[in-house]
Amino acid sequence: VALNACKTIVANDTKDKSASEIRGAIAALLRNGLLREVDEGDAIISDFNETLKNLSLRLLSKTFANMLNKGCLETAIQDNSEWFLDTLIPSLVDAVKNAKDRPHDA
C-alpha cells in the first residue's frame, strides 16, 4: 500500500484525477511556496503555506526513501524526468539557497 501511495505521488497518472491533483498541489507548493495567492499582510496564511511546503518536502523525502528501498526510484525518475528537472530539482536548490535564513527548511 505504501509503495502504491509513493508511486501515485511521483507518477503523472492522468487517468487518476486525485493523483494528478496531489502532484499538482505539491508542485505548486514547491514552485511558489503556496497553493493560492494570499494578502501580503496575512502572516497566519503565510506561515501555513510555509508549513505546507515543508510538509511537501518531507513527504517527498519519505516517498523517495521508500521507493529507493523497494528498488523502483530509478525507474520513477526516468519515467518522470521532466517533473524532476523542471520542478523538483530547482525547488530543492532554492531550499538549499535559503538555508542560511531558514536552516530547518533545507
Side-chain angles (χ1 to χ4, degrees), residues 2-76:
L3 184 58
N4 286 338
C6 292
K7 288 180 179 180
T8 298
I9 291 166
V10 174
N12 189 17
D13 187 355
T14 56
K15 296 175 189 172
D16 184 349
K17 186 176 180 190
S18 63
S20 183
E21 289 174 357
I22 291 168
R23 183 179 162 132
I26 290 171
L29 285 165
L30 295 177
R31 271 193 305 266
N32 309 320
L34 46 89
L35 288 173
R36 60 183 177 156
E37 295 297 321
V38 295
D39 295 331
E40 249 181 70
D42 199 338
I44 293 171
I45 298 296
S46 294
D47 288 345
F48 180 69
N49 281 326
E50 191 63 34
T51 298
L52 286 176
K53 181 177 181 179
N54 289 337
L55 289 172
S56 293
L57 288 168
R58 190 170 298 153
L59 174 70
L60 288 173
S61 173
K62 292 189 179 295
T63 295
F64 297 147
N66 187 7
M67 294 178 80
L68 181 64
N69 288 336
K70 300 295 183 182
C72 60
L73 181 60
E74 184 177 348
T75 301

